[in-house]
Amino acid sequence: MSATKPILALNVGNTHTTLAALKGKRMLWRSTVETAQLLNQRNAKCLAKAWSEEISKCREQIQHIGVASVVPKATQTFLPWLEKNVRAESYIISASLKLPFEIRYRTPQTLGADRIAVAAFAAEHFPSQAVIVIDFGTAITYDILTSGAHYLGGLILAGAHTAAASLWQRAAQLPEFQLRKTSNVIGRSTVECLEAGLFWGKVAETEGLIAKLKVELKRKYRESKVLVVATGGDAAVFARTVATIDRVEKDAVLYGIHAIVERNSTTI
């Protein structure tokens, strides 16, 4: 089914929220704000109005809004204002919708909407191929799809910025520091040690997990060719160093939302 009307894809993450107008494989418009802005009624109302005015400049009628949220309170505050301004029907991404893959997860009701969306993206864009999607965000999630479009599950780990904040907040003598690629693995000062430990620790973690996942996919599921896709805010940072990441798709969640809404709507 090909889309004739654009949809709005709303990705509400723990740190940032992105809204995009998508038509097929084209992105007509997008904007990103801090999720905290959605928690206040007044801010949410003003943001919804401002975004709807920007979207109207696309001169395309929006009929549907797809929502992948991991912050329910922000969605509950903001979405009614967005629906009112755009005058469109919403689909909340969940395992109960029609999906382009079969869920073989033991607790599908607990599966995050963002993880469902990236799996939908992988199923739609890489059919008949086993895929590992790594979302480098506040949390780092690994989502695994077989070549038969079976969603198996994956892993959830602390994201780089989350790990950094936890360390300097809990260790009294350690200073605040940020994620950056260091030229050396061996730090020559406390800050350099923290920066190197964070970056190269996550690199080693990513390389090791990709290798282990590929072994398990081959041994248990006979998947000898596996595509590794990175998405999320820190994807590009790690993809430049981790050679086993095949490609970066920064908007995987947004396009996954689009694919799910398209599958569940009869009027697109």
Side-chain angles (χ1 to χ4, degrees), residues 92-250:
I92 307 299
I93 304 303
S94 72
S96 64
L97 295 179
K98 296 177 184 177
L99 302 172
F101 57 89
E102 180 184 335
I103 293 182
R104 296 194 173 179
Y105 197 63
R106 290 178 181 171
T107 56
Q109 71 279 5
T110 68
L111 189 57
D114 53 343
R115 300 181 69 189
I116 294 171
V118 296
F121 170 84
E124 288 285 321
H125 287 75
F126 312 111
S128 303
Q129 185 159 9
V131 185
I132 298 170
V133 184
I134 310 173
D135 190 341
F136 291 93
T138 304
I140 298 175
T141 57
Y142 289 67
D143 292 291
I144 319 301
L145 205 66
T146 70
S147 57
H150 299 148
Y151 177 83
L152 302 177
L155 302 96
I156 304 174
L157 303 91
H161 300 284
T162 303
S166 177
L167 191 58
W168 64 258
Q169 287 173 0
R170 290 177 176 271
Q173 291 188 306
L174 294 182
E176 185 174 353
F177 65 104
Q178 300 296 325
L179 172 68
R180 75 174 187 91
K181 181 179 179 179
T182 63
S183 56
N184 300 307
V185 178
I186 300 174
R188 301 293 299 279
S189 70
T190 299
V191 170
E192 286 182 3
C193 287
L194 288 165
E195 291 174 340
L198 179 64
F199 180 77
W200 293 108
K202 284 299 178 185
V203 166
E205 174 186 275
T206 305
E207 291 173 336
L209 286 174
I210 289 173
K212 286 182 177 295
L213 286 168
K214 285 184 174 180
V215 168
E216 188 164 320
L217 281 166
K218 185 174 183 179
R219 179 169 57 87
K220 288 189 175 182
Y221 302 97
R222 299 181 181 179
E223 299 287 2
S224 58
K225 294 182 179 180
V226 181
L227 181 72
V228 180
V229 178
T231 190
D234 294 327
V237 176
F238 290 106
R240 286 191 289 267
T241 303
V242 179
T244 46
I245 292 176
D246 298 304
R247 59 195 298 164
V248 175
E249 298 285 353
K250 67 175 184 177

Side-chain angles (χ1 to χ4, degrees), residues 11-163:
N11 177 23
V12 184
N14 286 298
T15 305
H16 294 99
T17 289
T18 298
L19 182 67
L22 305 174
K23 186 175 183 180
K25 295 183 178 180
R26 290 193 302 126
M27 186 171 291
L28 306 177
W29 172 90
R30 69 174 287 162
S31 183
T32 299
V33 298
E34 292 184 356
T35 297
Q37 292 189 42
L38 276 61
L39 294 169
N40 177 276
Q41 280 282 355
R42 184 176 179 180
N43 289 345
K45 181 179 179 180
C46 292
L47 181 60
K49 182 179 180 181
W51 270 353
S52 65
E53 289 174 352
E54 288 293 318
I55 294 163
S56 67
K57 295 177 184 178
C58 298
R59 297 184 179 180
E60 294 272 7
Q61 182 184 357
I62 303 294
Q63 292 188 341
H64 303 282
I65 304 170
V67 183
S69 174
V70 296
V71 188
K73 186 177 179 180
T75 308
Q76 291 163 9
T77 303
F78 176 71
L79 185 57
W81 292 114
L82 183 64
E83 291 173 327
K84 181 178 179 180
N85 281 274
V86 178
R87 299 179 182 177
E89 179 185 7
S90 295
Y91 287 87
I92 307 299
I93 304 303
S94 72
S96 64
L97 295 179
K98 296 177 184 177
L99 302 172
F101 57 89
E102 180 184 335
I103 293 182
R104 296 194 173 179
Y105 197 63
R106 290 178 181 171
T107 56
Q109 71 279 5
T110 68
L111 189 57
D114 53 343
R115 300 181 69 189
I116 294 171
V118 296
F121 170 84
E124 288 285 321
H125 287 75
F126 312 111
S128 303
Q129 185 159 9
V131 185
I132 298 170
V133 184
I134 310 173
D135 190 341
F136 291 93
T138 304
I140 298 175
T141 57
Y142 289 67
D143 292 291
I144 319 301
L145 205 66
T146 70
S147 57
H150 299 148
Y151 177 83
L152 302 177
L155 302 96
I156 304 174
L157 303 91
H161 300 284
T162 303

